[in-house]
Amino acid sequence: MESRAAVETMEAIGASISALAVYVDLATGNVPSGGPVPAACFGPAAADPLRDQAGAYLDGLAELAKVEARLAALKVQLVAGYANTEKAMTPPAASPQERTVREMAVTAEVAGVLTISERAASALRFEASTLTTGRPVTLSALQAGSISWQHARIMVDETVDLGAAGAAELEAHFLDPDAPNPARGCPAGELVPCRFRAKVRTWRERHHPVSIEKRHARSAADRRVEYAPDSDGMAWFSAYLPAAQAAGIWDRTTAAARAMQGPGETRTLTQLRADIASTWLLTAAHELTPAGGVPSPAAQVLVTVPVFSLLGLTEEPAMLDGYGPIPPSVARRLVADGATSFLRVLTDPHDGAPLETGRTSYRIPKPMRQWLRLRDATCTFPACNNHSLDNDADHLLAWADGGGTGISNLGQLCPKHHRLKHASAWTPTAASAEDPPGWTSPSGRHYTSEQPDWEPPHWPPHIQAIFQELAAPGGLDPGLPELAGDDAQASTLPPGQDSCLDAAPPGIALTDREAA
């Protein structure tokens, strides 16, 4: 069976190589630079030969990425096939020690053939065994070239302790468009690996068979600070901390660094973060107050909490902006303590989308900017992972061209890609209150937005029972219940209003300058 799968993968690779033949001609110089482009590449009536030639290079890179994925799938099948064949040829081990030696021998053989370390070979063997025996959807996607080897490794990493049923459900969610609840937004293979891992980790935390509270308590016991010398008179200083503490430290340091930037400041944001952290750790608090000292403004970290989880009725994870899922007990503690660095966000008990940002409990001078942070999380430019605190709110359609200040005409961009938008032909596509914009490149290629993968929260059993009674004949509508009090928000928006944050809180005039 494995041999047949390897043969099929080889056939797919052969087809891809054939498709690459035209692009190889271009890459090897068979077509002179600026010269005529063969009709086989672009058709008999190419209107812009140079533009078509540039497009051919990009098409070639896209096809090459598929070839690399298929080669990775073939490597996986060959490694697994070799290990299984060796096991079949060898009589049962007489002792655990003998079994260990045989495993070491197989790993050493793979390492020798591939010229890699035995540690890397051991990891490859594990990944190959997992993919060929327990992750069929992932292996099929790799063979088809629709995901990369990095994506496949992430699937192995994040499903290692989910069990067969949980792993199959995770695979289906991200890789099967016909699944009952497929992931929203662009396909998995179009996400850069770090963003794909963040999405997979979020899903895993919500569906893991072991409570996040128990796993967090176990990991928190291993918190530590580490120091490692490096070259050129430098060293690494790092800390392994609970996510809420680490996010608060990072955002507070970033806010202080941004406050120090100005015409007379030559240090970069990265250098300022390092200098501020060093100053805070090496000096007493009173030494930071004189003129010229390091400012320490409060950060604003968004904590998204399902309503029932905040009330203690369920144990669903909360979401920490820039990190991902955290235990609900941590989120409840942050809200109860009134930590000024953390901004509470409640989610709709019907579909999991954000409801409101706690305007009555925290002064927000720029409510639209906060909603953008919720919707976009990172810079919306393809493959950019820049954290929301560093980004600019920008009009998708410029104000001068008739663009409004509604949430559907705003997007988050890091400073680099903000400049690129205004200085090049990269163009954002439409957005909405819930979905960030996609992008169209100068070559005309479209990159789909990475949409938030909200899920309906868990309802407590006794509340489910109430609504089942209401759904009985003569009962009330079993849909989303009315929310009472100041926190009430409609589950649908009134005509012409992009979000529940389009209207500024009383006493706050939201200007275009503030929104942008």
Side-chain angles (χ1 to χ4, degrees):
M1 182 176 178
E2 288 172 352
S3 298
R4 180 56 191 163
V7 170
E8 292 175 352
T9 306
M10 282 294 296
E11 292 173 350
I13 291 172
S16 294
I17 296 297
S18 297
L20 275 171
V22 172
Y23 309 124
V24 171
D25 284 341
L26 291 172
T28 55
N30 290 343
V31 178
S33 176
V37 183
C41 292
F42 314 114
D48 188 346
L50 285 178
R51 172 61 62 190
D52 288 338
Q53 187 173 0
Y57 283 118
L58 293 175
D59 290 340
L61 286 173
E63 191 64 36
L64 188 59
K66 294 182 179 179
V67 174
E68 291 174 341
R70 288 167 174 157
L71 285 172
L74 181 60
K75 179 187 286 189
V76 161
Q77 292 161 342
L78 295 176
V79 169
Y82 166 69
N84 291 337
T85 303
E86 277 292 320
K87 183 177 181 179
M89 291 191 303
T90 308
S95 66
Q97 292 79 7
E98 183 179 346
R99 186 183 305 111
T100 300
V101 170
R102 290 179 181 178
E103 289 292 320
M104 290 173 58
V106 172
T107 299
E109 190 77 75
V110 172
V113 168
L114 295 178
T115 320
I116 58 178
S117 69
E118 290 187 26
R119 182 177 181 179
S122 179
L124 178 58
R125 282 194 59 197
F126 174 77
E127 291 158 349
S129 176
T130 302
L131 287 168
T132 55
T133 61
R135 305 294 180 271
V137 179
T138 302
L139 183 57
S140 295
L142 191 62
Q143 289 172 310
S146 58
I147 63 172
S148 71
W149 172 235
Q150 291 94 328
H151 290 80
R153 294 186 70 184
I154 289 169
M155 292 296 287
V156 172
D157 291 344
E158 298 295 338
T159 58
V160 69
D161 59 352
L162 279 180
E169 191 177 354
L170 190 151
E171 276 192 308
H173 180 73
F174 287 101
L175 300 178
D176 183 1
D178 297 323
N181 180 32
R184 301 177 68 242
C186 54
E190 295 179 15
L191 289 170
V192 292
C194 64
R195 295 304 307 152
F196 179 61
R197 184 182 290 277
K199 276 204 165 188
V200 172
R201 188 179 71 239
T202 298
W203 189 96
R204 173 183 176 273
E205 296 291 7
R206 286 184 58 89
H207 298 269
H208 200 287
V210 180
S211 164
I212 189 174
E213 294 285 359
K214 295 180 180 178
R215 289 180 283 121
H216 174 72
R218 185 168 57 242
S219 297
D222 195 33
R223 61 191 179 278
R224 60 191 180 274
V225 172
E226 296 181 347
Y227 166 79
D230 205 346
S231 56
D232 302 324
M234 303 295 288
W236 288 98
F237 179 84
S238 59
Y240 181 63
L241 299 170
Q245 296 177 16
I249 293 170
W250 174 259
D251 284 357
R252 186 167 182 256
T253 305
T254 299
R258 295 190 73 172
M260 292 185 67
Q261 289 184 310
E265 179 56 70
T266 61
R267 290 173 290 182
T268 65
L269 186 65
T270 300
Q271 292 170 335
L272 283 168
R273 282 194 189 102
D275 293 347
I276 288 168
S278 298
T279 302
W280 285 348
L281 287 172
L282 294 174
T283 59
H286 65 84
E287 295 178 312
L288 303 179
T289 54
V294 178
S296 55
Q300 294 182 12
V301 184
L302 296 176
V303 182
T304 306
V305 193
V307 173
F308 294 131
S309 183
L310 181 65
L311 296 175
L313 299 177
T314 67
E315 291 302 316
E316 285 185 88
M319 293 291 293
L320 186 66
D321 183 37
Y323 170 77
I326 60 172
S329 62
V330 175
R332 287 194 290 265
R333 186 165 62 250
L334 291 174
V335 173
D337 291 347
T340 57
S341 291
F342 293 88
L343 181 62
R344 181 200 68 195
V345 180
L346 297 181
T347 59
D348 194 321
H350 181 63
D351 60 9
L355 267 180
E356 52 93 12
T357 56
R359 294 192 299 253
T360 59
S361 61
Y362 190 92
R363 182 176 179 273
I364 309 173
K366 299 174 183 177
M368 276 192 181
R369 190 183 299 277
Q370 302 293 3
W371 187 264
L372 279 178
R373 291 179 63 188
L374 278 172
R375 189 193 69 183
D376 298 350
T378 64
C379 172
T380 63
F381 198 82
C384 185
N385 197 37
N386 204 70
H387 184 28
S388 62
L389 189 63
D390 299 330
N391 297 334
D392 304 322
D394 181 58
H395 284 87
L396 305 180
L397 176 64
W399 175 262
D401 296 331
T405 56
I407 199 73
S408 60
N409 192 46
L410 294 173
Q412 277 198 121
L413 286 175
C414 68
K416 180 177 74 173
H417 291 125
H418 194 172
R419 290 193 299 271
L420 184 66
K421 170 182 176 286
H422 290 288
S424 75
W426 277 93
T427 307
T429 59
S432 71
E434 291 80 24
D435 301 326
W439 286 83
T440 301
S441 72
S443 67
R445 285 167 171 76
H446 179 66
Y447 298 87
T448 308
S449 67
E450 180 189 338
Q451 299 172 355
D453 201 19
W454 294 319
E455 291 188 37
H458 301 154
W459 285 60
H462 65 282
I463 294 182
Q464 290 185 28
I466 293 174
F467 277 88
Q468 288 173 356
E469 293 179 6
L470 293 176
L476 299 177
D477 183 357
L480 180 66
E482 295 280 333
L483 296 178
D486 293 338
D487 285 341
Q489 294 286 343
S491 59
T492 57
L493 300 173
Q497 183 170 314
D498 285 324
S499 84
C500 62
L501 295 183
D502 272 2
I508 297 178
L510 180 64
T511 66
D512 177 58
R513 181 179 302 274
E514 289 175 327

